[in-house]
Amino acid sequence: MRQSLSVVKVGGSLVADRARLCRLLGALADGAEGPVAIVPGGGALADAVRATQGALGFPDPLAHRLALDAMAGMARIFAALEPRLAVTQDPGEGLAAGRVPVWDPSALEVGYPEIPENWSVSSDSLALWLATRLGAGTCLLVKSADPSPGAGPAELARAGLVDAAFEGFAARFPGRIVLRSLSGDRLCREAVAECAA
């Protein structure tokens, strides 16, 4: 496992505070968290998909693919706000080239058996999926909401701070999961133990 790498999920809800979002993206580009791959939340773009599905009733797999497109759109927005970020479908390649990648998850639209194509999966679980694939040591979720101290994946899901599939993805991720909000870091109790060899 590459302990120095962190996958950082930047919540779409943070777009409500442009100055804070720009400071965060700038700090990540400056290396404040070491080598990172950034996962954008879908934010209002994903909310529009959910609302449109509610109004028109199209199937979940289509909504899932449109939500991935929303994340891809946010990746491009992040790169427009912080030009040192490089939008890529392959963050590993971006890291190897010495770039700070922001992930465009569009390639997931072909379907992966381990990723349910419904609203039980959001960018939180996808960040864990990517962190596992990249061999990251840490998955950092930056959110506007403050998690309860010591809450594990199941409690976080019940509180609505992460998606319903998060617990299963957390069980497969061998690194640390850190939730950061306006009040600082909270470690996700059930998934923070460092991996034994």
Side-chain angles (χ1 to χ4, degrees):
M1 180 179 1
R2 192 182 325 168
Q3 291 293 334
S4 61
L5 174 65
S6 295
V7 167
V8 181
K9 185 265 181 163
V10 177
S13 61
L14 297 175
V15 301
D17 186 342
R18 184 183 192 279
R20 181 173 181 264
L21 176 62
C22 288
R23 283 194 305 272
L24 172 63
L25 296 175
L28 293 172
D30 285 338
E33 297 291 334
V36 297
I38 300 170
V39 174
L45 301 178
D47 291 343
V49 172
R50 191 185 300 264
T52 305
Q53 184 189 28
L56 300 177
F58 52 82
D60 278 347
L62 175 57
H64 173 77
R65 286 169 172 76
L66 292 172
L68 292 172
D69 289 338
M71 289 175 63
M74 289 303 297
R76 283 161 180 72
I77 291 168
F78 286 4
L81 294 173
E82 175 47 73
R84 292 175 291 171
L85 302 180
V87 177
T88 179
Q89 291 184 0
D90 184 354
E93 192 174 276
L95 289 161
R99 307 290 305 269
V100 179
V102 58
W103 186 39
D104 170 350
S106 299
L108 298 183
E109 292 182 15
V110 299
Y112 284 74
E114 69 271 25
I115 302 175
E117 294 185 338
N118 55 48
W119 289 108
S120 72
V121 170
S122 74
S123 54
D124 293 328
S125 285
L126 293 178
L128 282 172
W129 180 85
L130 182 65
T132 302
R133 282 185 77 103
L134 293 176
T138 301
C139 184
L140 169 61
L141 307 176
V142 183
K143 295 182 162 284
S144 58
D146 189 18
S148 299
E155 292 92 353
L156 293 169
R158 280 194 295 275
L161 291 173
V162 295
D163 59 64
F166 188 81
E167 184 177 12
F169 282 89
R172 294 187 291 275
F173 176 59
R176 294 178 350 124
I177 299 170
V178 178
L179 273 67
R180 182 174 294 154
S181 69
L182 293 174
S183 66
D185 290 351
R186 298 284 190 248
L187 294 181
C188 190
R189 182 190 61 223
E190 295 171 10
V192 296
E194 295 292 340
C195 284

